[in-house]
Coordinates of all heavy atoms in Angstrom, one line a residue:
Chain A
E249 N -3.6 8.6 -21.8 CA -2.5 8.2 -22.7 C -1.3 7.7 -22.0 O -0.6 6.8 -22.4 CB -2.2 9.3 -23.7 CG -3.2 9.5 -24.8 CD -3.2 8.4 -25.9 OE1 -2.3 7.6 -25.9 OE2 -4.1 8.5 -26.7
R250 N -0.9 8.5 -21.0 CA 0.4 8.2 -20.3 C 0.2 8.0 -18.8 O 0.5 8.9 -18.0 CB 1.4 9.4 -20.5 CG 1.9 9.5 -22.0 CD 2.4 10.9 -22.3 NE 3.2 11.4 -21.2 CZ 4.6 11.2 -21.1 NH1 5.2 10.5 -22.0 NH2 5.2 11.7 -20.1
P251 N -0.4 6.8 -18.4 CA -0.5 6.6 -17.0 C 0.9 6.5 -16.4 O 1.8 6.1 -17.0 CB -1.2 5.2 -16.9 CG -0.9 4.5 -18.2 CD -0.8 5.6 -19.2
G252 N 1.0 6.9 -15.1 CA 2.2 6.8 -14.4 C 2.3 7.7 -13.2 O 1.3 8.3 -12.8
W253 N 3.5 7.7 -12.6 CA 3.7 8.6 -11.4 C 4.3 9.9 -11.9 O 5.1 9.9 -12.8 CB 4.6 7.9 -10.4 CG 5.9 7.4 -11.0 CD1 6.2 6.2 -11.5 CD2 7.1 8.2 -11.2 NE1 7.5 6.2 -12.0 CE2 8.0 7.5 -11.8 CE3 7.4 9.6 -10.8 CZ2 9.3 7.9 -12.1 CZ3 8.7 10.0 -11.1 CH2 9.6 9.2 -11.8
Y254 N 3.8 10.9 -11.2 CA 4.4 12.3 -11.6 C 4.6 13.1 -10.3 O 3.6 13.2 -9.5 CB 3.4 13.0 -12.5 CG 3.2 12.3 -13.8 CD1 2.0 11.6 -14.1 CD2 4.2 12.4 -14.8 CE1 1.8 11.0 -15.2 CE2 4.0 11.7 -16.0 CZ 2.8 11.0 -16.2 OH 2.7 10.3 -17.4
E255 N 5.8 13.5 -10.0 CA 6.0 14.4 -8.8 C 5.8 15.8 -9.3 O 6.4 16.3 -10.2 CB 7.4 14.2 -8.3 CG 7.6 15.0 -7.0 CD 9.0 14.9 -6.3 OE1 9.8 14.1 -6.8 OE2 9.1 15.5 -5.3
L256 N 4.8 16.4 -8.6 CA 4.3 17.7 -9.1 C 4.3 18.7 -7.9 O 4.1 18.4 -6.7 CB 2.9 17.6 -9.6 CG 2.8 16.6 -10.8 CD1 1.3 16.3 -11.1 CD2 3.4 17.2 -12.1
E257 N 4.5 20.0 -8.3 CA 4.4 21.0 -7.2 C 2.9 21.2 -6.8 O 2.0 21.3 -7.7 CB 4.9 22.4 -7.8 CG 4.9 23.4 -6.7 CD 5.6 24.7 -7.2 OE1 6.1 24.8 -8.3 OE2 5.7 25.6 -6.3
M258 N 2.7 21.1 -5.6 CA 1.3 21.2 -5.1 C 0.7 22.5 -5.4 O 1.4 23.5 -5.5 CB 1.2 20.9 -3.6 CG 1.5 19.4 -3.3 SD 1.2 19.0 -1.6 CE -0.6 18.8 -1.6
S259 N -0.6 22.5 -5.5 CA -1.4 23.8 -5.7 C -1.2 24.4 -7.0 O -2.1 24.9 -7.7 CB -1.0 24.8 -4.5 OG -2.0 25.7 -4.4
K260 N 0.1 24.6 -7.4 CA 0.3 25.3 -8.7 C 0.1 24.4 -10.0 O 0.1 25.0 -11.1 CB 1.8 25.9 -8.7 CG 1.9 27.0 -7.7 CD 3.3 27.5 -7.6 CE 3.3 28.6 -6.5 NZ 4.7 28.9 -6.1
T261 N -0.1 23.1 -9.8 CA -0.4 22.3 -10.9 C -1.9 22.0 -10.8 O -2.4 21.8 -9.7 CB 0.4 21.0 -10.7 OG1 1.8 21.3 -10.4 CG2 0.4 20.2 -12.0
T262 N -2.6 21.9 -12.0 CA -4.0 21.6 -11.9 C -4.3 20.2 -12.4 O -3.4 19.6 -13.0 CB -4.8 22.6 -12.9 OG1 -4.3 22.3 -14.2 CG2 -4.5 24.0 -12.5

Side-chain angles (χ1 to χ4, degrees):
Chain A
E249 287 286 353
R250 290 160 43 90
W253 55 266
Y254 299 103
E255 186 177 356
L256 301 167
E257 185 172 3
M258 290 190 80
S259 199
K260 291 177 182 165
T261 314
T262 65

